[in-house]
Amino acid sequence: DVKVTQSSRYLVKRTGEKVFLECVQDMDHENMFWYRQDPGLGLRLIYFSYDVKMKEKGDIPEGYSVSREKKERFSLILESASTNQTSMYLCASSFRRTGYGYGYTFGSGTRLTVV
Amino acid sequence: SQQGEEDPQALSIQEGENATMNCSYKTSINNLQWYRQNSGRGLVHLILIRSNEREKHSGRLRVTLDTSKKSSSLLITASRAADTASYFCARAMGYSTLTFGKGTMLLVSP
């Protein structure tokens, strides 16, 4: 069964900490994505990557960075966590770009609380 | 970004009834996709309809697309309690990323 695995289901961090959210997919997918989901705001794209060592900004990249050193792993980094980054973080991957008719496979999400 | 809207925001029905959710968007699309999210979990891909298709079926799901009205509908027939979830439409514009709406919360009561 193909999977996208996010390292933590729940995470509590302190303001100012550097936070790493890890995502691994076992499907040899080219593309990987990080979204955050907040009540009333839906899913918003933070960063995405179409290839190893490549990254593109999404709609809300401020306060975040990413790393993709290997095809299967895409890490989201909160350089200095703030309370307004408390959210559900969702990682997704796709075989090819969605315009070619491919859907996303999502991980189970990481609910991050910054205190 | 041109997110579009799902309608209604919330829908409550009885088991056995049909559920219809609508999605509108503002710019042209390559395809439109529907996803389901059970409470507190990740999204699951349900069905994809391309811009040159008008209707698609998958089990109890039926999706329609009207590109002239820039709208799509998801119909779930003979709903079950297990269908209780949030449903999202997502637009693929060009060859870029998916843009998701805010979702419709469906509650199916036994």
Side-chain angles (χ1 to χ4, degrees):
Chain A
D1 201 14
V2 294
K3 278 200 310 194
V4 175
T5 302
Q6 294 185 232
S7 53
S8 304
R9 285 282 290 132
Y10 298 95
L11 211 51
V12 179
K13 294 292 181 181
R14 295 197 177 275
T15 302
E17 275 192 77
K18 190 168 187 176
V19 181
F20 293 85
L21 302 183
E22 305 289 346
C23 177
V24 177
Q25 51 97 0
D26 64 0
M27 298 165 285
D28 202 33
H29 282 181
E30 287 183 356
N31 311 313
M32 297 188 75
F33 312 87
W34 276 106
Y35 287 85
R36 64 176 283 178
Q37 184 178 23
D38 301 286
L41 297 177
L43 276 77
R44 294 180 291 167
L45 181 63
I46 305 172
Y47 267 98
F48 59 103
S49 169
Y50 287 145
D51 202 351
V52 177
K53 296 193 186 294
M54 290 183 63
K55 61 183 179 183
E56 300 278 352
K57 292 180 180 179
D59 298 320
I60 52 164
E62 296 78 21
Y64 303 94
S65 63
V66 290
S67 172
R68 194 169 181 199
E69 295 296 317
K70 294 185 178 181
K71 189 175 185 179
E72 66 270 20
R73 185 179 295 271
F74 193 36
S75 302
L76 180 68
I77 303 154
L78 286 66
E79 297 290 343
S80 177
S82 64
T83 55
N84 63 12
Q85 293 177 310
T86 291
S87 186
M88 168 73 104
Y89 289 88
L90 293 164
C91 176
S93 70
S94 69
F95 179 61
R96 290 188 68 190
R97 298 192 190 197
T98 189
Y100 292 106
Y102 293 89
Y104 289 5
T105 302
F106 279 86
S108 296
T110 295
R111 190 167 293 279
L112 173 68
T113 303
V114 182
V115 297
Chain B
S1 61
Q2 300 288 314
Q3 289 198 7
E5 298 291 334
E6 278 112 329
D7 172 60
Q9 288 187 317
L11 181 60
S12 184
I13 59 173
Q14 300 289 121
E15 264 190 331
E17 294 181 340
N18 294 342
T20 299
M21 288 157 267
N22 303 297
C23 171
S24 63
Y25 55 93
K26 298 178 181 177
T27 59
S28 62
I29 58 171
N30 272 5
N31 64 72
L32 187 142
Q33 305 179 24
W34 286 90
Y35 289 77
R36 183 187 75 233
Q37 184 181 34
N38 291 94
S39 180
R41 308 297 293 186
L43 281 70
V44 174
H45 183 263
L46 295 176
I47 195 166
L48 180 153
I49 187 164
R50 298 175 191 274
S51 59
N52 61 354
E53 297 175 312
R54 291 297 166 257
E55 187 170 313
K56 208 160 179 183
H57 295 255
S58 177
R60 293 184 295 113
L61 305 180
R62 173 178 165 245
V63 170
T64 61
L65 180 65
D66 186 336
T67 52
S68 66
K69 294 181 179 178
K70 291 186 168 58
S71 68
S72 174
S73 291
L74 171 68
L75 169 68
I76 304 174
T77 59
S79 296
R80 307 165 181 167
D83 294 327
T84 293
S86 291
Y87 292 83
F88 294 85
C89 71
R91 280 78 66 194
M93 297 171 287
Y95 290 92
S96 186
T97 58
L98 284 179
T99 298
F100 288 83
K102 295 179 182 178
T104 293
M105 291 179 57
L106 173 65
L107 174 63
V108 183
S109 301

